[in-house]
Amino acid sequence: MPPAGAPRAGGDKVTLWGVIGIVTALCCCGVLGIVFGWLSVREAKQFGKSPVLGYIAIALGVLAILRDIFVWPKYLSGQWKMN
């Protein structure tokens, strides 16, 4: 087993997980944004990189879930119109 912090053959995926988390949180699913954000933070800690993208993905995922809970039911029931 390689020592902790040693790069793997495939390299780290900190940026990949962070960007995927941000995109999924903004476009479709807050839960996936949180999951990919967590993966980014975990990899960042493992490789000693900045976990900022992961934290942004998690925050946007939480905001997307809150949006789904509070905005969409009002919009779908016709109480609130998005123009």
Side-chain angles (χ1 to χ4, degrees):
M1 183 168 198
R8 294 181 295 191
D12 66 88
K13 296 180 177 147
V14 175
T15 305
L16 176 68
W17 294 133
V19 170
I20 290 174
I22 291 170
V23 170
T24 56
L26 289 175
C27 293
C28 61
C29 183
V31 175
L32 285 177
I34 292 171
V35 169
F36 286 123
W38 176 76
L39 287 172
S40 177
V41 170
R42 187 183 70 165
E43 290 252 343
K45 288 180 181 179
Q46 181 180 0
F47 287 100
K49 295 199 171 190
S50 174
V52 171
L53 284 176
Y55 290 138
I56 292 171
I58 291 170
L60 290 175
V62 169
L63 289 174
I65 290 171
L66 291 174
R67 177 199 63 207
D68 293 343
I69 290 171
F70 292 111
V71 173
W72 286 113
K74 288 183 181 181
Y75 176 70
L76 293 176
S77 68
Q79 295 176 2
W80 187 59
K81 303 237 184 257
M82 295 174 109
N83 290 332

